[in-house]
Amino acid sequence: MQINLLFSVDDKFAPHMLTTLYAIRQNSPATNTYDVYVIQDQPLTDAASITATLAEWQMTYHPVLADQAVFADAPVSNRYPRSIYYRLLASELLPDTLDKILYLDADILVINDLTPLYQLDLTGQLYAAAMHTDFLNLTGTLNQFRLDTATPHYFNSGVLLINLARAREIVHPADIFQIIRDHKNELLLPDQDVLNKLYAQDTRPVADVVYNYDVRKDLTYQATSQGKWSLDWVVSHTVFLHFCGTKKPWMPNVTDKYALLYKHYQHQLQRQF
């Protein structure tokens, strides 16, 4: 199967993107091929090496330099760099020939096959995304009040299956830029808040325990499931481990069980060079 993947990284995060892609290759059918689109402000220093490495994994690297014209009217500052818009405006930046793409943050480890998520039917919907589990959906309710949305769903934007054909119809840069101008003092996670304020009702929910497992909430997952979502269950069923927050798994002093798994994949990748 041919799968389109989307990242937005600079030189600092390019090595972590490679770890994510290596894990995808290890845990998906050998017959899958991948087109990897990477939105960037300037060409990556190691572009030639990335191209060669991905080719060995049946992946094709497509650098996408962010079009300056798209962001001519964008509110930009230290808090709102241009990069916050990239996943939201993927339909403006990617080739018109693409109808679907899976966006992934570069702090994600893929430990099972992502193909079933990619095959989801998004007819009439813009995104598929996950809400992070908590007790009584307090996060969703609080964000509904904070953002004045019509739904208590609050989706994490780190994993987004994007219906690009629909995005070209309903996602407009001016709408996104205006939301930031009007609500700049209320937005905590700007791109994620904008996604939820404008498009939550056009998003298909998927299970976070499978498709966006927030490793910080391991105890919450266990308590919510009354022990069903054990470590063994996660290893067998979870597709994306998401290392949200400031403690990234590649840091030397981060040594929890999921970070150790990440470091294993990172080490296996480094052995190839």
Side-chain angles (χ1 to χ4, degrees), residues 9-31:
V9 300
D10 55 15
D11 281 337
K12 179 180 177 181
F13 275 85
H16 311 312
M17 176 188 72
L18 285 178
T19 301
T20 301
L21 290 169
Y22 174 74
I24 289 173
R25 181 70 280 169
Q26 295 301 307
N27 292 297
S28 295
T31 52

Side-chain angles (χ1 to χ4, degrees), residues 6-8 20 87-88 102-110 117 127-132 154-162 189 191-193 195-196 206 211-213 240-244 248:
L6 177 63
F7 293 84
S8 174
T20 301
R87 78 193 77 181
L88 298 176
L102 177 61
Y103 170 83
L104 297 175
D105 278 350
D107 59 354
I108 284 174
L109 185 66
V110 184
L117 174 63
Y127 298 122
M131 299 173 289
H132 280 158
Y154 185 78
F155 296 100
N156 181 274
S157 60
V159 177
L160 284 178
L161 183 63
I162 307 173
L189 301 170
D191 56 332
Q192 189 164 286
D193 283 352
L195 181 150
N196 281 276
V206 296
Y211 291 120
N212 201 330
Y213 192 102
F240 303 124
L241 295 176
H242 194 176
F243 296 87
C244 304
K248 298 304 183 187

Side-chain angles (χ1 to χ4, degrees), residues 24-184:
I24 289 173
R25 181 70 280 169
Q26 295 301 307
N27 292 297
S28 295
T31 52
N32 279 5
T33 59
Y34 302 84
D35 284 292
V36 182
Y37 293 84
V38 183
I39 302 175
Q40 50 206 255
D41 285 319
Q42 55 188 9
L44 297 178
T45 301
D46 292 333
S49 175
I50 291 170
T51 299
T53 298
L54 295 193
E56 294 180 7
W57 301 341
Q58 296 178 287
M59 296 179 174
T60 304
Y61 171 53
H62 301 276
V64 180
L65 291 180
D67 186 349
Q68 299 275 353
V70 174
F71 305 97
D73 298 321
V76 175
S77 66
N78 288 337
R79 188 180 176 213
Y80 300 104
R82 284 197 318 167
S83 58
I84 71 165
Y85 301 109
Y86 291 168
R87 78 193 77 181
L88 298 176
L89 295 177
S91 58
E92 298 280 334
L93 301 171
L94 296 172
D96 292 341
T97 52
L98 301 181
D99 288 334
K100 178 191 284 190
I101 201 161
L102 177 61
Y103 170 83
L104 297 175
D105 278 350
D107 59 354
I108 284 174
L109 185 66
V110 184
I111 62 172
N112 281 297
D113 184 13
L114 56 72
T115 308
L117 174 63
Y118 194 80
Q119 290 176 321
L120 280 183
D121 183 4
L122 284 185
T123 302
Q125 293 178 299
L126 175 57
Y127 298 122
M131 299 173 289
H132 280 158
T133 296
D134 62 15
F135 293 109
L136 305 177
N137 192 33
L138 294 178
T139 299
T141 302
L142 288 172
N143 281 300
Q144 181 183 19
F145 176 78
R146 178 173 66 86
L147 298 172
D148 190 26
T149 60
T151 171
H153 295 161
Y154 185 78
F155 296 100
N156 181 274
S157 60
V159 177
L160 284 178
L161 183 63
I162 307 173
N163 181 344
L164 291 169
R166 181 160 176 78
R168 293 185 192 105
E169 297 174 355
I170 68 171
V171 175
H172 306 293
D175 295 340
I176 293 170
F177 302 156
Q178 193 61 50
I179 285 290
I180 288 184
R181 290 191 191 94
D182 292 345
H183 300 276
K184 62 182 180 180

